[in-house]
Amino acid sequence: AFHLPLLAPLAWRRWLGRRWGGLLRRTEGVEPGPGHPQPTLVADAVRGIGLYRANMLDRLLRPEPRYARVPVQLISPLRDRFVSPALAGDLERWAPDLRRRTLPCGHWGAVTTSAPRTAELIRTFIADVEAGRARAAG
């Protein structure tokens, strides 16, 4: 649906933007609060759809090997209804220095209800990568 011209942006502007807080509550157990959802939600969502359009379809229609030559951390919400674990099954082939982490939340939980834990995983990953570089240089 993200690739249908005008449909996804129109849906966000006319329908999803006003209902997003309730949808998150019902599907993910995330309660709306002060500053959440942000007033920029619709504009942010439309820009995000543009990222999907720019990166997904062309890669699916014309696949080619693309390797990550840097350390990669994959943080997977265990109750994600939109991105199945099978999509990340063979990533070590493309990202040889892959570190997998999981969170006990849904799709949006990594940036809402589990945001502090997500931030800690990111801080730890960065510290580990920087420590490895320091050891290699020293």
Side-chain angles (χ1 to χ4, degrees):
F2 287 168
H3 291 280
L4 297 175
L6 303 176
L7 180 64
L10 184 64
W12 271 102
R13 288 187 179 104
R14 297 268 171 100
W15 187 79
L16 284 169
R18 288 177 280 162
R19 293 171 176 80
W20 191 245
L23 286 169
L24 278 181
R25 181 187 314 109
R26 285 189 302 281
T27 62
E28 301 271 332
V30 174
E31 290 296 328
H36 177 71
Q38 289 287 320
T40 59
L41 171 71
V42 171
D44 295 343
V46 170
R47 279 190 290 278
I49 291 165
L51 289 173
Y52 276 100
R53 286 182 175 159
N55 291 295
M56 297 273 299
L57 194 56
D58 186 54
R59 301 307 187 267
L60 292 172
L61 295 175
R62 289 181 285 288
E64 61 182 71
R66 292 177 177 91
Y67 299 95
R69 308 257 185 242
V70 297
V72 174
Q73 177 173 241
L74 173 66
I75 301 174
S76 298
L78 293 174
R79 294 190 302 268
D80 194 324
R81 297 174 185 191
F82 305 102
V83 181
S84 84
L87 291 175
D90 190 24
L91 288 183
E92 285 83 1
R93 178 173 142 198
W94 306 106
D97 189 358
L98 178 69
R99 297 121 196 245
R100 294 176 182 266
R101 306 291 182 260
T102 60
L103 293 171
C105 60
H107 186 78
W108 296 104
V111 295
T112 56
T113 56
S114 296
R117 179 66 181 138
T118 301
E120 180 57 32
L121 290 171
I122 293 168
R123 276 192 294 273
T124 301
F125 174 70
I126 292 168
D128 290 348
V129 169
E130 288 177 347
R133 286 190 183 136
R135 280 191 302 274

